[in-house]
Amino acid sequence: MIKKIGVLTSGGDAPGMNAAVRAVVRAAIRKGIEVYGIRRGYNGLINGDIIEMNERSVSDIIQRGGTMLYTARCPEFRTEEGVLKAKEKCEELGLEGIVVIGGDGSFRGAADLSAHGILCVGLPGTIDNDIACTDYTIGYDTAMNTAMEMVDKLRDTAQSHDRCSVVEVMGRGAGYIAVNTGVAVGATYVITSEIPYDLNEVAKKMLESRKTGKQHFIIVVSEGVGHSEEIARVLEEKTGIEARTTILGHVQRGGAPTVRDRVAASQMGYYAVELLAQGIGNRVVGMQKGEVVDYDIQEALAMKKPYEDQLYHIAQEIAF
Ligand code: ADP
Ligand code: F6P
């Protein structure tokens, strides 16, 4: 029976990470497993920035964005020496398992540590929803709701001025936030890197809608496309409709997690501890069709996630 585990958050923070930490800590304590919080991602494991957690350590955090354990990117952990230091720290403290809450990069690190005999279980924590083995990542719903609220506000001013509002949403290389937000705000066009686009087509759609009385426009651009300012400039030139660009940025990473994020984080956090309690490591936990599932880390990393082509199609079809 495993006696001591650690939990860390790594990579970009995401709303709901706190709920996941809480679930891991409480589930471990329920099973009589000691649990430690490792701060600032893999840095904490290398430097020994580790705190013992009890049931009250995670009180009053389920509703908070960010992560009480802090998070970081840790270049040293990409080296063999870094991983060895982390393994030694685990052995020194008697940590037999680690729950790693983060994205694909963090899972690669978890696979390396697993290869050195420490049981690691990854939980998908990123606003981008770009992890293939899971339908859902912790933070995604909150980020989309924030983006939607922001675009609703932008629409007020775009409407008052008869303007086009070009809004860039986050997602690194992935356009999941963009297409869902686009549908939710009734964007005239969604531009993402997964699907080819032609600004002549976008301009044509805007001008056709103008003929039927539409006066203002929302164009949602995914971060991965890379040049929303330029897109606004070109659309203004092609249509004669005044355009403004807003890059929503890190506001999408903050705020109180939604119900969906808190619940998914709690379910997956609990499940991760169940795996460790059975002595199972080198796994990534995910959600598929509402069920919690788990995969071998390498298998999970090799999977490809399809884009939401059908939703993209609907977005374009019903906005004009
Ligand atoms: P995310 O987990 O959100 O994808 P990163 O790609 O920044 O974020 O990865 C977070 C951390 O995980 C990195 O700072 C590093 O410590 C570790 N990591 C990333 N890629 C690797 C890798 N290939 N091998 C080992 N560790 C890695
Ligand atoms: O992966 C989450 C994310 O917010 C991406 O959407 C974005 O590209 C990136 O992180 C920004 O990272 P940073 O926190 O380093 O600015």
PDB file of all heavy atoms in Angstrom, residues 273-286:
ATOM      1  N   VAL A 273      -6.010   9.557  -7.454  1.00  0.00           N
ATOM      2  CA  VAL A 273      -5.567   8.967  -6.179  1.00  0.00           C
ATOM      3  C   VAL A 273      -5.944   7.483  -6.120  1.00  0.00           C
ATOM      4  O   VAL A 273      -5.195   6.655  -5.599  1.00  0.00           O
ATOM      5  CB  VAL A 273      -6.143   9.762  -4.983  1.00  0.00           C
ATOM      6  CG1 VAL A 273      -5.801   9.085  -3.666  1.00  0.00           C
ATOM      7  CG2 VAL A 273      -5.616  11.194  -5.015  1.00  0.00           C
ATOM      8  N   GLU A 274      -7.100   7.148  -6.685  1.00  0.00           N
ATOM      9  CA  GLU A 274      -7.483   5.727  -6.720  1.00  0.00           C
ATOM     10  C   GLU A 274      -6.436   4.911  -7.475  1.00  0.00           C
ATOM     11  O   GLU A 274      -6.078   3.809  -7.057  1.00  0.00           O
ATOM     12  CB  GLU A 274      -8.832   5.550  -7.416  1.00  0.00           C
ATOM     13  CG  GLU A 274      -9.953   6.236  -6.691  1.00  0.00           C
ATOM     14  CD  GLU A 274     -11.141   5.323  -6.503  1.00  0.00           C
ATOM     15  OE1 GLU A 274     -11.743   4.967  -7.522  1.00  0.00           O
ATOM     16  OE2 GLU A 274     -11.438   4.969  -5.344  1.00  0.00           O
ATOM     17  N   LEU A 275      -5.947   5.463  -8.590  1.00  0.00           N
ATOM     18  CA  LEU A 275      -4.914   4.747  -9.356  1.00  0.00           C
ATOM     19  C   LEU A 275      -3.662   4.570  -8.501  1.00  0.00           C
ATOM     20  O   LEU A 275      -3.130   3.470  -8.373  1.00  0.00           O
ATOM     21  CB  LEU A 275      -4.562   5.510 -10.639  1.00  0.00           C
ATOM     22  CG  LEU A 275      -5.616   5.544 -11.746  1.00  0.00           C
ATOM     23  CD1 LEU A 275      -5.143   6.432 -12.893  1.00  0.00           C
ATOM     24  CD2 LEU A 275      -5.916   4.133 -12.274  1.00  0.00           C
ATOM     25  N   LEU A 276      -3.188   5.683  -7.920  1.00  0.00           N
ATOM     26  CA  LEU A 276      -1.957   5.609  -7.126  1.00  0.00           C
ATOM     27  C   LEU A 276      -2.123   4.646  -5.953  1.00  0.00           C
ATOM     28  O   LEU A 276      -1.203   3.881  -5.628  1.00  0.00           O
ATOM     29  CB  LEU A 276      -1.549   7.000  -6.626  1.00  0.00           C
ATOM     30  CG  LEU A 276      -1.037   7.967  -7.694  1.00  0.00           C
ATOM     31  CD1 LEU A 276      -0.704   9.318  -7.075  1.00  0.00           C
ATOM     32  CD2 LEU A 276       0.198   7.400  -8.401  1.00  0.00           C
ATOM     33  N   ALA A 277      -3.292   4.685  -5.334  1.00  0.00           N
ATOM     34  CA  ALA A 277      -3.536   3.813  -4.178  1.00  0.00           C
ATOM     35  C   ALA A 277      -3.405   2.338  -4.579  1.00  0.00           C
ATOM     36  O   ALA A 277      -3.048   1.488  -3.755  1.00  0.00           O
ATOM     37  CB  ALA A 277      -4.905   4.088  -3.591  1.00  0.00           C
ATOM     38  N   GLN A 278      -3.691   2.047  -5.845  1.00  0.00           N
ATOM     39  CA  GLN A 278      -3.551   0.651  -6.325  1.00  0.00           C
ATOM     40  C   GLN A 278      -2.145   0.378  -6.852  1.00  0.00           C
ATOM     41  O   GLN A 278      -1.893  -0.661  -7.468  1.00  0.00           O
ATOM     42  CB  GLN A 278      -4.541   0.400  -7.462  1.00  0.00           C
ATOM     43  CG  GLN A 278      -6.000   0.442  -7.047  1.00  0.00           C
ATOM     44  CD  GLN A 278      -6.896   0.508  -8.290  1.00  0.00           C
ATOM     45  OE1 GLN A 278      -6.854  -0.372  -9.139  1.00  0.00           O
ATOM     46  NE2 GLN A 278      -7.677   1.555  -8.389  1.00  0.00           N
ATOM     47  N   GLY A 279      -1.267   1.356  -6.698  1.00  0.00           N
ATOM     48  CA  GLY A 279       0.112   1.173  -7.168  1.00  0.00           C
ATOM     49  C   GLY A 279       0.254   1.347  -8.667  1.00  0.00           C
ATOM     50  O   GLY A 279       1.215   0.869  -9.275  1.00  0.00           O
ATOM     51  N   ILE A 280      -0.708   2.055  -9.279  1.00  0.00           N
ATOM     52  CA  ILE A 280      -0.673   2.243 -10.738  1.00  0.00           C
ATOM     53  C   ILE A 280      -0.133   3.640 -11.062  1.00  0.00           C
ATOM     54  O   ILE A 280      -0.618   4.637 -10.524  1.00  0.00           O
ATOM     55  CB  ILE A 280      -2.088   2.089 -11.351  1.00  0.00           C
ATOM     56  CG1 ILE A 280      -2.637   0.689 -11.057  1.00  0.00           C
ATOM     57  CG2 ILE A 280      -2.075   2.378 -12.858  1.00  0.00           C
ATOM     58  CD1 ILE A 280      -4.095   0.494 -11.427  1.00  0.00           C
ATOM     59  N   GLY A 281       0.878   3.705 -11.933  1.00  0.00           N
ATOM     60  CA  GLY A 281       1.441   4.995 -12.348  1.00  0.00           C
ATOM     61  C   GLY A 281       1.613   5.047 -13.847  1.00  0.00           C
ATOM     62  O   GLY A 281       1.134   4.168 -14.571  1.00  0.00           O
ATOM     63  N   ASN A 282       2.308   6.093 -14.310  1.00  0.00           N
ATOM     64  CA  ASN A 282       2.517   6.325 -15.737  1.00  0.00           C
ATOM     65  C   ASN A 282       1.200   6.379 -16.512  1.00  0.00           C
ATOM     66  O   ASN A 282       1.082   5.871 -17.612  1.00  0.00           O
ATOM     67  CB  ASN A 282       3.445   5.249 -16.330  1.00  0.00           C
ATOM     68  CG  ASN A 282       4.046   5.702 -17.650  1.00  0.00           C
ATOM     69  OD1 ASN A 282       4.432   6.859 -17.798  1.00  0.00           O
ATOM     70  ND2 ASN A 282       4.083   4.818 -18.627  1.00  0.00           N
ATOM     71  N   ARG A 283       0.208   7.057 -15.922  1.00  0.00           N
ATOM     72  CA  ARG A 283      -1.110   7.167 -16.548  1.00  0.00           C
ATOM     73  C   ARG A 283      -1.527   8.634 -16.668  1.00  0.00           C
ATOM     74  O   ARG A 283      -1.068   9.483 -15.891  1.00  0.00           O
ATOM     75  CB  ARG A 283      -2.206   6.460 -15.717  1.00  0.00           C
ATOM     76  CG  ARG A 283      -1.907   5.048 -15.308  1.00  0.00           C
ATOM     77  CD  ARG A 283      -1.871   4.080 -16.445  1.00  0.00           C
ATOM     78  NE  ARG A 283      -3.138   3.796 -17.093  1.00  0.00           N
ATOM     79  CZ  ARG A 283      -3.263   2.999 -18.161  1.00  0.00           C
ATOM     80  NH1 ARG A 283      -2.188   2.422 -18.704  1.00  0.00           N
ATOM     81  NH2 ARG A 283      -4.435   2.764 -18.705  1.00  0.00           N
ATOM     82  N   VAL A 284      -2.383   8.906 -17.631  1.00  0.00           N
ATOM     83  CA  VAL A 284      -3.049  10.210 -17.725  1.00  0.00           C
ATOM     84  C   VAL A 284      -4.540   9.957 -17.553  1.00  0.00           C
ATOM     85  O   VAL A 284      -5.082   9.030 -18.155  1.00  0.00           O
ATOM     86  CB  VAL A 284      -2.831  10.874 -19.107  1.00  0.00           C
ATOM     87  CG1 VAL A 284      -3.628  12.165 -19.208  1.00  0.00           C
ATOM     88  CG2 VAL A 284      -1.368  11.159 -19.350  1.00  0.00           C
ATOM     89  N   VAL A 285      -5.164  10.765 -16.717  1.00  0.00           N
ATOM     90  CA  VAL A 285      -6.610  10.649 -16.514  1.00  0.00           C
ATOM     91  C   VAL A 285      -7.305  11.618 -17.466  1.00  0.00           C
ATOM     92  O   VAL A 285      -6.782  12.692 -17.768  1.00  0.00           O
ATOM     93  CB  VAL A 285      -6.955  10.977 -15.040  1.00  0.00           C
ATOM     94  CG1 VAL A 285      -8.460  10.960 -14.810  1.00  0.00           C
ATOM     95  CG2 VAL A 285      -6.264   9.988 -14.104  1.00  0.00           C
ATOM     96  N   GLY A 286      -8.466  11.215 -17.959  1.00  0.00           N
ATOM     97  CA  GLY A 286      -9.231  12.105 -18.835  1.00  0.00           C
ATOM     98  C   GLY A 286     -10.718  11.852 -18.675  1.00  0.00           C
ATOM     99  O   GLY A 286     -11.135  11.038 -17.840  1.00  0.00           O
TER     100      GLY A 286
END
